[in-house]
Amino acid sequence: MKKLSLTFLVLMAVTACKTNPFTGKSTLNFYDNSQVFPMAFSQYDQFLEENKVVTGTSDAQMIARVGQRIASAAERWLDANGYPGYLKDYQWEYNLVDNETVNAWCMPGGKIVFYTGILPITQNETGVAVVMGHEVAHALADHGAQRMSAGTLQQIGAVAGNVAIKDDETRGLFNQAYGVGSQIGVMLPFSRKHETEADRIGLQIMAIAGYNPDEAAELWKRMKAAGGQAPPEFLSTHPSNDTRISNLTAWAPAAKQEARKFGVTSFK
Ligand SMILES: [Zn+2]
């Protein structure tokens, strides 16, 4: 019995593997966009209803402008690399919310929130592009769905043989992954591997969007400096350490090189 369920788990894990276009690596993912996106869209709408969305200010316009440029850069990259239509189910939205919490997040399907509290650290449009690129990269690489899948495997493992993943279990895993029910956007930390992937992908996208990737390391230095006694929310899920900063510095020239393939030769 135990052996059988183990075989099943291995089989299921193998068939649930998807290739991440950005890393070329095979990853464990049980979930389709069609299962995850509707949950993200309704939670996002609810969040906007319950919070104060900033509209019409130059900051709000900047968030939307950076978001559009980052989304368009991601689309160009995917088209050029043999993944046309990868973003067809995305419904991009970029909102600034009046809240002093230092945080920003992107839910599956391109639903983005920046809190006004992060703006003193991003400082300018390029700083916003660093955070936007990173958060969008988590969504593009399906990191949330992978985290849900790891949870699924644990659940199935726990009940050994109870193979069907029920809808409410899927919802529970989604809520857990995205902090729904406690404080939305306060998510479980991504793994260090996912953080590193999001840094690398984000850097590439921001450069294709025309933003200077050299500024990524500077943003994370400012984020690190904002730590101390009471680290901002963003730092609880995104530790800013010297490895992260030196990685970003080392990868910036390759990101610029990639951007040149798309005709981008100057960066702001
Ligand atoms: Zn991250």
Side-chain angles (χ1 to χ4, degrees), residues 134-135 138 190 194-195 198-199 220 234 237-238 244:
H134 177 92
E135 291 305 313
H138 276 307
F190 283 108
H194 283 174
E195 282 306 315
D199 279 344
W220 288 102
F234 196 74
T237 50
H238 290 83
R244 165 166 248 155

Side-chain angles (χ1 to χ4, degrees), residues 15-165:
T15 53
C17 280
K18 290 178 188 167
T19 302
N20 175 346
F22 294 94
T23 61
K25 287 180 197 149
S26 186
T27 53
L28 178 69
N29 186 350
F30 293 123
Y31 295 101
D32 285 332
N33 291 349
S34 64
Q35 291 169 282
V36 178
F37 285 13
M39 289 184 207
F41 296 167
S42 73
Q43 289 298 340
Y44 188 77
D45 288 344
Q46 195 181 329
F47 178 86
L48 294 182
E49 270 170 34
E50 292 168 359
N51 288 272
K52 195 175 165 215
V53 179
V54 181
T55 53
T57 68
S58 58
D59 282 342
Q61 285 159 2
M62 173 179 67
I63 298 299
R65 182 170 61 244
V66 174
Q68 283 155 9
R69 289 176 65 144
I70 292 287
S72 148
E75 187 142 31
R76 268 180 286 159
W77 189 91
L78 285 158
D79 284 350
N81 285 277
Y83 295 92
Y86 188 85
L87 300 174
K88 67 178 166 42
D89 299 326
Y90 275 62
Q91 295 180 16
W92 296 100
E93 215 174 323
Y94 328 94
N95 280 292
L96 179 63
V97 163
D98 186 11
N99 187 315
E100 65 189 13
T101 308
V102 179
N103 207 2
W105 43 263
C106 176
M107 279 201 178
K111 298 295 189 184
I112 294 155
V113 160
F114 270 65
Y115 296 86
T116 48
I118 204 169
L119 297 181
I121 296 176
T122 52
Q123 281 185 3
N124 52 48
E125 185 163 339
T126 307
V128 168
V130 175
V131 175
M132 186 82 73
H134 177 92
E135 291 305 313
V136 164
H138 276 307
L140 292 174
D142 294 328
H143 287 159
Q146 286 177 44
R147 200 163 46 179
M148 286 170 66
S149 300
T152 307
L153 211 52
Q154 276 175 0
Q155 283 200 1
I156 299 171
V159 294
N162 177 14
V163 294
I165 309 164

